[in-house]
């Protein structure tokens, strides 16, 4: 319940503060509360103390998942984003399988206090590992210059989801899958007790089957994601997850039931990974953490709803009708969203085609030699096309430096008066070159005037996006050397600060 209530605001925090620091802070908070649980267990404290510390741990952890989901596109890049989400999903499934086993082992070896202490230590290890990440996010505030209240800040993510047809459809599929998972936690109990004859232990076996299926599917989901027909794949994945539930009506052998759960686990991983990946691609970088804060709140709510509505269905209609309902009804609902998924496929394909030539040009520039694919994609997405006619001044010496320009076609002439206040010709620039980086790196006004010699087409990259890309990739030595040389020619008295900026 605490995670459900506070998850949306967790996304706000993950957006407004640097995300690596947010994750490290979350780990340390959880370490403290889990350490408190270890102490409470050792001292045999009242139950309410343990419940309170568990709730506080959940609250401290709500910022973590939105931060991870928001950072994965930057860390993995377009080519590896599905694989990164699949790996993240695999970790979740491994936790489902291995977590209870590890906890049982710790209890067998020692006590509850030992188990909580080891868990606390795991948060410390996580904080150490995450703190060593070089990638950093840029804090973003999209709510009236930090003056908006808590509720209004939380609604930004809600509006971002439901104002985008693509985002809302993708969220619907993940929420639907989570609702089915919630029903599973109830149906597995009845199935194990009354039909499989495996008692309480059977619940754990069936849940582990879902986890194993997710782990196995992670090996091939990246190949599925390369298809341009993700609408069909997500819809089929939902069917694979749900339809075997109806088949369980006729199953009495535990091994067969376990095998069906493996198949179902593979289906749900496909739905979750591809839907989350598409959602990461569909929303703006400025609100992505807020969106995932809302997303995870909806996921928790859907799971909770599934656990609430299933017992009355089982009690009123019986176990078998409940299995039929949960096997067929979610698939029918998913089919209603198929046309919307097809439209998302078409829009995504068009966007890829639009960005491809920009990425190809950017990766040829020496300035981005050390930039990874993810940085190039962000720069391409942030770039806008600018056109100038012969004689037009594209940038003027002395004006504010606010963008980097990359020449796509045509040529430009560069002149500067510099400190000597005597106009000198610097050079002529052709396609495949860039200008404007000196003012951005040094945070000074433009040091030269650039004029179009003929009709010119350029990519304009916002200064903040350019500096973010360099911060993630580190500026190359050739970039720094070239910038120093050009700065020394026009402003010899300035001491370059490029190393510290980059």
């Amino acid at each position: 319940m605490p995670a459900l209530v506070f998850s949306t605001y967790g996304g706000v925090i993950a957006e407004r503060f640097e995300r690596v620091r947010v994750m490290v802070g979350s780990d340390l908070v959880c370490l403290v509360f889990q350490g408190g649980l270890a102490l409470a267990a050792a001292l045999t404290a009242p139950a309410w103390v343990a419940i309170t510390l568990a709730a506080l741990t959940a609250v401290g952890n709500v910022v973590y998942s939105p931060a991870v989901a928001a950072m994965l596109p930057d860390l993995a890049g377009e080519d590896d984003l599905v694989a990164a989400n699949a790996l993240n999903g695999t970790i979740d499934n491994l936790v489902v399988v291995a977590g209870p086993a590890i906890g049982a082992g710790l209890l067998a070896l020692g006590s509850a206090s030992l188990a909580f202490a080891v868990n606390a230590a795991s948060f410390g290890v996580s904080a150490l590992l995450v703190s060593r990440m070089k990638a950093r996010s840029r804090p973003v505030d999209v709510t009236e210059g930090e003056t908006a209240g808590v509720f209004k800040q939380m609604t930004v993510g809600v509006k971002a989801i439901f104002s985008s047809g693509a985002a809302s459809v993708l969220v619907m599929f993940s929420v639907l899958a989570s609702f089915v998972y919630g029903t599973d936690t109830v149906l597995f109990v009845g199935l194990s007790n009354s039909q499989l004859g495996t008692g309480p232990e059977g619940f754990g076996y069936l849940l582990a089957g879902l986890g194993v299926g997710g782990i196995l599917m992670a090996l091939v989901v990246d190949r599925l994601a390369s298809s341009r027909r993700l609408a069909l794949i997500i819809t089929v994945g939902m069917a694979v997850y749900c339809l075997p539930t109806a088949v369980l009506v006729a199953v009495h052998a535990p091994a067969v039931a376990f095998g069906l759960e493996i198949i179902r686990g593979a289906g749900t991983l496909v739905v979750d990974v591809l839907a989350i990946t598409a959602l990461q691609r569909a929303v703006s970088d400025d609100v992505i953490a807020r969106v995932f804060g809302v997303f995870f709140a909806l996921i928790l709510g859907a799971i909770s709803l599934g656990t609430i509505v299933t017992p009355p269905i089982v009690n009123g209609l019986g176990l078998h009708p409940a299995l039929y309902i949960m096997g067929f009804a979610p698939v029918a609902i998913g089919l209603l969203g198929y046309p919307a998924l097809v439209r998302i496929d078409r829009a995504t394909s068009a966007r890829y085609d639009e960005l491809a030539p920009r990425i190809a040009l950017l990766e040829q520039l020496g300035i981005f030699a050390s930039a990874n694919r993810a940085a190039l994609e962000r720069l391409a997405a942030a770039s806008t096309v600018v056109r100038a006619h012969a004689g037009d001044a594209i940038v003027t010496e002395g004006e504010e430096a606010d963008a980097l320009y990359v020449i796509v076609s045509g040529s430009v002439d560069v002149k500067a008066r510099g400190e000597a206040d005597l106009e000198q010709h610097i050079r002529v620039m052709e396609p495949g070159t860039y200008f404007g980086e000196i003012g951005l790196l040094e945070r000074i006004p433009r040091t030269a005037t650039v004029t179009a010699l003929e009709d010119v087409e350029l990519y304009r990259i916002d200064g903040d996006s350019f500096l973010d890309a360099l911060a993630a990739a580190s500026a190359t030595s050739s970039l720094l050397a070239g910038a120093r040389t050009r700065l020394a020619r026009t402003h010899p008295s300035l001491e370059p600060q490029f190393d510290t900026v980059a």
Side-chain angles (χ1 to χ4, degrees):
M1 289 303 297
L4 175 60
V5 171
F6 291 102
S7 180
T8 300
Y9 195 66
V12 174
I13 295 173
E15 200 77 84
R16 295 186 63 180
F17 300 93
E18 201 286 309
R19 290 173 193 145
V20 170
R21 293 181 179 178
V22 166
M23 289 189 288
V24 171
S26 173
D27 277 331
L28 295 178
V29 167
C30 293
L31 184 155
V32 170
F33 292 137
Q34 287 294 302
L37 269 171
L39 182 61
L43 299 177
T44 318
W48 67 265
V49 174
I51 294 172
T52 300
L53 289 169
L56 290 172
T57 302
V59 173
N61 197 237
V62 294
V63 299
Y64 207 94
S65 291
V68 170
M71 288 196 71
L72 278 179
D74 294 341
L75 295 172
E78 187 63 42
D79 291 343
D80 297 323
L81 182 56
V82 173
N85 283 320
L87 177 59
N88 200 33
T90 301
I91 292 170
D92 288 341
N93 286 313
L94 283 171
V95 167
V96 170
V97 177
I102 294 172
L106 291 170
L107 288 173
L109 292 173
S111 63
S113 180
L114 173 65
F116 288 128
V118 171
N119 198 34
S122 74
F123 283 106
V125 173
S126 175
L128 178 62
L129 293 175
V130 172
S131 67
R132 299 177 65 183
M133 290 172 57
K134 294 182 179 180
R136 291 292 186 270
S137 68
R138 179 168 55 89
V140 177
D141 176 66
V142 291
T143 49
E144 303 173 4
E146 303 183 10
T147 62
V150 171
F151 181 76
K152 194 166 187 177
Q153 294 177 40
M154 293 167 64
T155 60
V156 171
V158 178
K159 291 178 180 177
I161 289 176
F162 293 103
S163 65
S164 166
S168 58
V169 170
L170 296 168
V171 169
M172 182 205 74
F173 272 89
S174 282
V175 167
L176 183 60
S178 299
F179 170 81
V180 174
Y181 177 80
T183 69
D184 285 344
T185 62
V186 178
L187 294 175
F188 284 175
V189 175
L191 188 67
S192 180
N193 285 331
S194 64
Q195 190 161 311
L196 300 178
T198 49
E201 293 84 359
F203 176 87
Y205 297 146
L206 295 173
L207 202 61
L210 287 175
V212 171
I215 294 169
L216 295 177
M217 179 52 67
L219 301 175
V220 297
V221 71
D222 196 36
R223 297 179 185 177
L224 294 177
S226 62
S227 169
R228 290 289 181 98
R229 303 183 67 185
L230 294 185
L232 178 62
I233 293 173
I234 291 176
T235 304
V236 170
M238 180 63 72
V240 171
Y241 180 34
C242 297
L243 292 179
T245 299
V247 178
L248 287 170
V249 169
V251 173
H252 293 81
V256 175
F258 183 78
L260 286 174
E261 292 311 313
I262 291 177
I263 294 172
R264 295 186 65 227
T268 188
L269 184 84
V270 169
V271 174
D272 285 340
V273 168
L274 297 188
I276 288 173
T277 302
L279 182 59
Q280 288 166 328
R281 292 167 174 165
V283 301
S284 166
D285 288 343
D286 289 345
V287 296
I288 185 169
R290 297 171 192 258
V291 165
F292 275 99
V294 176
F295 173 81
F296 289 118
L298 292 173
I299 294 300
L300 290 170
I303 293 173
S304 301
L305 181 62
T307 63
I308 292 171
V309 303
T310 307
I313 295 175
V314 173
N315 291 333
L317 301 177
L319 177 62
H320 286 183
L323 291 172
Y324 282 127
I325 291 172
M326 297 309 171
F328 293 114
V331 177
I333 295 172
L335 287 173
L336 295 177
Y338 179 75
L341 287 177
V342 171
R343 290 193 292 272
I344 294 172
D345 273 354
R346 292 171 180 168
T348 301
S349 179
R351 182 62 171 163
Y352 288 161
D353 293 341
E354 178 187 351
L355 292 182
R358 302 188 188 190
I359 295 173
L361 178 58
L362 293 175
E363 64 186 359
Q364 295 175 10
L365 303 179
I367 191 172
F368 300 126
S370 62
N372 59 23
R373 180 76 176 183
L376 292 173
E377 289 160 2
R378 291 198 304 275
L379 287 168
S383 65
T384 56
V385 176
V386 175
R387 293 180 175 84
H389 300 294
D392 290 348
I394 302 167
V395 300
T396 303
E397 185 175 0
E399 70 181 7
E400 179 185 0
D402 58 355
L404 175 82
Y405 291 87
V406 179
I407 303 175
V408 180
S409 64
S411 59
V412 301
D413 187 55
V414 184
K415 296 180 180 179
R417 302 191 68 85
E419 294 177 349
D421 198 24
L422 181 64
E423 186 173 86
Q424 55 180 317
H425 181 263
I426 305 298
R427 58 175 172 164
V428 172
M429 303 182 70
E430 304 288 346
T433 57
Y434 56 88
F435 59 88
E437 81 284 4
I438 294 178
L440 296 173
L441 290 169
E442 189 66 23
R443 292 186 173 88
I444 59 175
R446 297 293 188 191
T447 59
T449 296
V450 180
T451 306
L453 293 175
E454 54 188 317
D455 287 350
V456 179
E457 181 176 310
L458 312 101
Y459 293 147
R460 181 187 184 278
I461 300 174
D462 177 74
D464 288 339
S465 299
F466 167 69
L467 293 174
D468 286 347
L470 286 190
S474 298
T476 63
S477 57
S478 59
L479 160 65
L480 300 179
R484 289 192 194 99
T485 299
R486 293 192 296 276
L487 182 61
R489 185 170 179 180
T490 59
H491 296 75
S493 67
L494 286 179
E495 183 67 27
Q497 300 295 316
F498 303 145
D499 288 327
T500 58
V501 173

